[in-house]
Amino acid sequence: MSSLGLCGLTGQNGAAPHLRCRYCRAMPAGGPVSSAPWWRDAVFYQIYPRSFADANGDGVGDLDGIRAHLADLVWLGVDALWLSPFYRSPMADFGYDVSDHCDVDPIFGDLAAFDALLAEAHALGLRVIIDWVPNHTSDQHPWFLDASSSRTSQHRDWYVWREPDEDGTPPNNWVAAFDLTAPAWSVHPATDQWYLHLFDPAQPDLNWDEPAVVAAMHDVLRFWLDRGVDGFRADVLHTIGKFPDLPDDPPAVAGIPHCALNDVPVTHERIRAIRSVLDGYPDERVLVGEIYLMTTDAIATYYGTGDEVHMAFNFPALYAPWTADRWRAVIAETMATLEPRGAWPTWVLSNHDNPRHRTRYDLAARRRGEDAATTTRRSEARARAAATLLLTLRGTPFLYQGEELGLLDAEISPEQALDPGGRDGCRGPLPWDGSVGHGWPTGVGGTEPWLPLPPEAEFRDRAAQREDPGSILNMYRRLLQLRRSLPALRTGDLELLDAPDGVLALRRGAGADSCLILINTTGEDVELPAALSPIDGRVLFASDQVGPTAIAPVSLGADQALILGL
Ligand code: NOJ
């Protein structure tokens, strides 16, 4: 028996119309059909595997743990997952130091566990993209082990080597990430040359001028594309091209890690070649670039003419403080820079490299003089308002695991610190239930979670929040449902409107289908001008209420966000 899907293809084995079909999955369940490419319509959810869910009870999250919770993510209403690295790795940078790109680290499972996870995610209608780390490998990767075995080894030129100077200084003034006092170079004593590492010394940079490196890294892409992944988040993709003579960074930017400065024309042709590999596969496999440059202008160039990345992370937005003025400027600049190129924005508030936004906004408020009691009162309300903005902007939002629970950063004592970049706080394990360990080992038998759980785990666990209609988890779910049901919120145009101080006002879409989004970034009620309180506006969503109210409000509550249907 077969059934006809929206794609016009025939379902196999009597499967329900194409829930499993890549083409039909462009149709959000319960929402209108969209003609946009799937990745423009999707909401992504970033999973940091070590901290998501622990199926085997060893204190470190794993692939089976992710698979066990796929249904929770479907319930939440996200469309696609981005998995941070799960490859074989000595974990000097917790997986971003890859020692085998085509295998799963035993701490996370094995290839069979990955295949099972991917198959189940696809069966549930979730796309899956994975991290690909092209700029560097682990120093324990067989390529580097061979490269460092002698100056004439087969893989020597796969990495970047320079002769030592007589005065013993590094070959240039580049600064490594993580330890900003350290050069991006280390001496390899056995072969008496410096090797380049934009990150930790245990992460030597690959030499993309060497054709064999390009071929090998393309093969890695094919390995995972053949297994069925829907695309890649490409780690610091802008760093795979470097000026051949590796010139010093200008004195004006001394002290900034070179990975935030490297912006070299040859990288673009390399990305076009990577894109061709993806385009050789059916179903629009997506390339999301981590272009870690600090201006949207610079980031925008990596979209090419539609032939480089499909999407790039936009760091000025992630680093914007929670004020209406700053966000207004960031939104205006992002739209003005990307729209003329036909480039599609991304929006991110939190990820595995930065303090969670709830933590960041609280700390900033305290620095501005907010007292502790006020911060405690406003903290979640601010996070709710920020989520409303994130999910109503024009572009593809990326959620970071745990923000839907309203998590703060874990508190890490100096003895507990593990990460060379000081990023442990945002990586605290997710609390799943009300049990003593919240789904993680409790210390009995000596096994503990690899990092402490975040504060408030005792009332922020997912199981409890799921039962509570007023929880932030259910608020995210309502927001995602609304986004899915309203084309204006997914792909409609965005217009920034005049608004009172401290308020962001946006219109999405046009005419009868449009919505008005009002975000109060202040801790005071704000009276709305008539233009922002349309008589026939219907409140479709309120960040602080469970059900929509019928009447258009004349004021916004403190830290409140509203979506009005017009
Ligand atoms: C960016 C990743 O997001 C970060 O976690 C990692 O440490 C560096 N790239 C190096 O791979």
Side-chain angles (χ1 to χ4, degrees):
M1 196 179 129
S2 67
S3 57
L4 200 65
L6 281 168
C7 56
L9 299 175
T10 308
Q12 287 172 2
N13 306 326
H18 290 220
L19 270 180
R20 294 167 192 224
C21 165
R22 285 176 189 276
Y23 302 94
C24 287
R25 273 190 276 123
M27 180 188 74
V33 180
S34 165
S35 58
W38 69 267
W39 46 270
R40 285 194 180 213
D41 238 5
V43 175
F44 282 72
Y45 182 96
Q46 182 193 353
I47 292 184
Y48 191 70
R50 296 183 71 89
S51 305
F52 186 71
D54 179 11
N56 65 359
D58 66 355
V60 179
D62 44 47
L63 297 181
D64 283 350
I66 300 172
R67 187 158 64 89
H69 288 289
L70 289 174
D72 288 317
L73 299 173
V74 172
W75 174 87
L76 178 63
V78 297
D79 306 290
L81 311 180
W82 150 29
L83 307 184
S84 283
F86 48 81
Y87 312 111
R88 278 190 187 265
S89 164
M91 304 289 165
D93 186 12
F94 294 102
Y96 284 93
D97 50 320
V98 179
S99 57
D100 184 344
H101 298 92
C102 298
D103 201 3
V104 172
D105 195 278
I107 201 144
F108 297 124
D110 53 22
L111 281 172
F114 178 80
D115 290 341
L117 166 60
L118 186 63
E120 202 163 316
H122 281 169
L124 290 167
L126 292 168
R127 309 259 181 172
V128 179
I129 70 167
I130 60 175
D131 233 295
W132 176 64
V133 187
N135 176 66
H136 43 266
T137 66
S138 161
D139 63 353
Q140 299 306 305
H141 195 293
W143 300 340
F144 191 75
L145 292 178
D146 178 61
S148 54
S149 65
S150 86
R151 285 195 181 200
T152 55
S153 67
Q154 186 200 341
H155 293 91
R156 186 71 176 181
D157 292 341
W158 287 38
Y159 294 86
V160 184
W161 301 94
R162 287 293 182 271
E163 291 297 339
D165 274 348
E166 290 199 344
D167 63 0
T169 55
N172 68 18
N173 71 353
W174 293 1
V175 172
F178 307 152
D179 176 358
L180 301 186
T181 62
W185 297 91
S186 289
V187 175
H188 181 252
T191 57
D192 192 28
Q193 280 190 319
W194 295 89
Y195 68 91
L196 177 66
H197 53 84
L198 296 190
F199 294 88
D200 193 79
Q203 293 167 291
D205 275 40
L206 282 165
N207 172 18
W208 275 73
D209 295 339
E210 169 59 50
V213 166
V214 177
M217 290 308 289
H218 285 191
D219 281 349
V220 171
L221 293 171
R222 290 193 194 94
F223 177 86
W224 294 103
L225 290 165
D226 288 341
R227 290 194 110 80
V229 301
D230 296 289
F232 301 91
R233 175 269 190 190
D235 190 67
V236 287
L237 186 59
H238 62 297
T239 58
I240 62 173
K242 284 149 189 133
F243 288 116
D245 49 348
L246 309 179
D248 274 350
D249 285 329
V253 291
I256 297 182
H258 184 75
C259 66
L261 302 169
N262 193 83
D263 191 9
V264 178
V266 71
T267 308
H268 296 276
E269 71 195 52
R270 291 178 183 170
I271 296 178
R272 285 195 288 277
I274 291 162
R275 176 66 183 269
S276 300
V277 174
L278 271 70
D279 288 349
Y281 284 75
D283 311 333
E284 196 125 16
R285 312 295 170 100
V286 71
L287 182 64
V288 185
E290 188 205 21
I291 309 295
Y292 191 70
L293 294 171
M294 292 309 135
T295 68
T296 305
D297 258 345
I299 293 166
T301 63
Y302 288 82
Y303 285 81
T305 51
D307 53 358
E308 296 187 34
V309 300
H310 293 90
M311 297 187 281
F313 290 125
N314 185 25
F315 287 96
L318 193 150
Y319 294 131
W322 185 239
T323 68
D325 285 351
R326 240 355 257 141
W327 269 93
R328 201 182 158 81
V330 166
I331 296 165
E333 195 192 343
T334 302
M335 303 319 290
T337 311
L338 297 187
E339 294 272 312
R341 308 179 74 103
W344 187 248
T346 62
W347 300 100
V348 183
L349 294 176
S350 288
N351 64 22
H352 66 293
D353 286 333
N354 293 283
R356 289 179 173 281
H357 59 275
R358 188 174 157 216
T359 299
R360 281 200 321 270
Y361 297 161
D362 283 1
L363 287 174
R366 293 304 307 281
R367 278 197 298 271
R368 285 197 307 269
E370 189 174 89
D371 63 73
T374 306
T375 301
T376 305
R377 180 169 46 76
R378 293 186 59 193
S379 178
E380 183 177 313
R382 263 196 295 254
R384 286 173 177 244
T388 310
L389 178 64
L390 176 70
L391 289 167
T392 54
L393 287 168
R394 179 173 159 82
T396 295
F398 283 72
L399 307 181
Y400 175 52
Q401 65 179 37
E403 70 174 79
E404 75 280 18
L405 303 177
L407 294 186
L408 289 164
D409 274 13
E411 286 156 14
I412 310 288
S413 68
E415 301 72 50
Q416 291 165 324
L418 296 174
D419 177 50
R423 299 162 294 183
D424 296 312
C426 60
R427 300 174 180 179
L430 297 197
W432 284 99
D433 56 39
S435 66
V436 182
H438 304 292
W440 296 83
T442 56
V444 176
T447 310
E448 293 191 330
W450 74 289
L451 283 175
L453 269 70
E456 308 177 344
E458 63 287 1
F459 60 85
R460 288 199 178 271
D461 70 78
R462 183 173 295 254
Q465 291 208 45
R466 190 172 162 153
E467 295 310 308
D468 173 6
S471 68
I472 187 167
L473 176 65
N474 271 297
M475 185 215 75
Y476 265 84
R477 183 167 188 248
R478 281 194 300 279
L479 206 43
L480 287 160
Q481 279 171 347
L482 187 64
R483 183 182 167 97
R484 197 171 262 193
S485 68
L486 292 180
L489 286 183
R490 302 205 316 267
T491 47
D493 288 345
L494 182 151
E495 186 189 352
L496 279 161
L497 305 174
D498 287 340
D501 283 353
V503 172
L504 266 169
L506 334 167
R507 189 197 311 277
R508 293 293 314 277
D513 292 329
S514 59
C515 308
L516 191 59
I517 295 115
L518 302 171
I519 316 267
N520 185 359
T521 64
T522 78
E524 313 292 330
D525 290 0
V526 178
E527 208 174 303
L528 290 170
L532 299 182
S533 178
I535 305 245
D536 47 358
R538 294 158 291 129
V539 179
L540 303 175
F541 169 87
S543 60
D544 57 348
Q545 286 161 35
V546 172
T549 53
I551 306 157
V554 290
S555 67
L556 269 180
D559 297 303
Q560 190 188 39
L562 296 178
I563 304 175
L564 306 185
L566 298 176

